[in-house]
Amino acid sequence: MRMYSVTGANFARTAASDLLELLAPSTAIIQLHRVWIEQRTEFGDAQSEQIVTSLRRVTGAPTPGSGGSTPTPVQLFPAGAAAGATARAGATTALTGGTNVILMTRSWHVQAGFEIVYAPEERPVFSPSTRFLMTLDQTPADSITFDVGCVFAEMG
């Protein structure tokens, strides 16, 4: 099992959108260990709001979102193999098509951030060529600058 981290940083959102997409390689599965969302701009009481986020599994042949950045997963153990998985953070257009299954929807306070560290028996698994997708499911009250990421294992 090889462990990786991928982070997308410093992108602003004013509407519902895809925050993070991770595509498992065609030759391996990926397993999520941790996911997070933080923000850099909403600190006063006037900006206080709840945000709704979904974690999804997407199979089939979807059309990926465009724009954003394509961060490279980073090895957590030295001398490991480069990740086969690919990532996109802060897409400006949403992924469409494929079979989209919501694994979890959570509401979280924008000033507190959002983080899940999965217990071993709860870790979602994504088959080869399957996508993990983290979405912002609502339009925020104003522009929010996000940092997002995940830690995952790649096996195969």
Side-chain angles (χ1 to χ4, degrees):
M1 176 169 53
R2 299 173 309 275
M3 298 294 297
Y4 303 91
S5 175
V6 66
T7 302
N10 202 27
F11 59 89
R13 285 293 165 264
T14 58
S17 64
D18 296 346
L19 297 176
L20 183 65
E21 177 185 342
L22 186 64
L23 174 61
S26 62
T27 57
I29 64 171
I30 58 174
Q31 182 182 53
L32 289 180
H33 286 241
R34 170 189 269 177
V35 296
W36 66 87
I37 306 172
E38 299 170 344
Q39 59 80 27
R40 299 178 181 212
T41 54
E42 307 293 295
F43 298 108
D45 289 343
Q47 288 100 8
S48 180
E49 64 182 300
Q50 290 290 113
I51 299 292
V52 179
T53 296
S54 291
L55 306 179
R56 303 165 184 256
R57 178 181 290 120
V58 183
T59 58
T63 301
S66 61
S69 64
T70 53
T72 300
V74 175
Q75 303 167 8
L76 294 182
F77 300 108
T86 58
R88 178 180 308 277
T92 53
T93 62
L95 176 144
T96 58
T99 301
N100 192 317
V101 175
I102 296 174
L103 301 174
M104 174 186 295
T105 298
R106 295 281 301 268
S107 178
W108 53 280
H109 194 276
V110 71
Q111 293 170 343
F114 171 82
E115 182 172 26
I116 297 174
V117 179
Y118 289 101
E121 62 275 7
E122 296 176 328
R123 294 176 184 151
V125 174
F126 298 82
S127 301
S129 302
T130 297
R131 287 175 165 80
F132 161 63
L133 186 64
M134 180 190 307
T135 60
L136 174 63
D137 294 346
Q138 69 185 57
T139 299
D142 60 353
S143 181
I144 300 175
T145 301
F146 287 101
D147 296 333
V148 299
C150 69
V151 171
F152 66 97
E154 195 171 278
M155 297 171 275

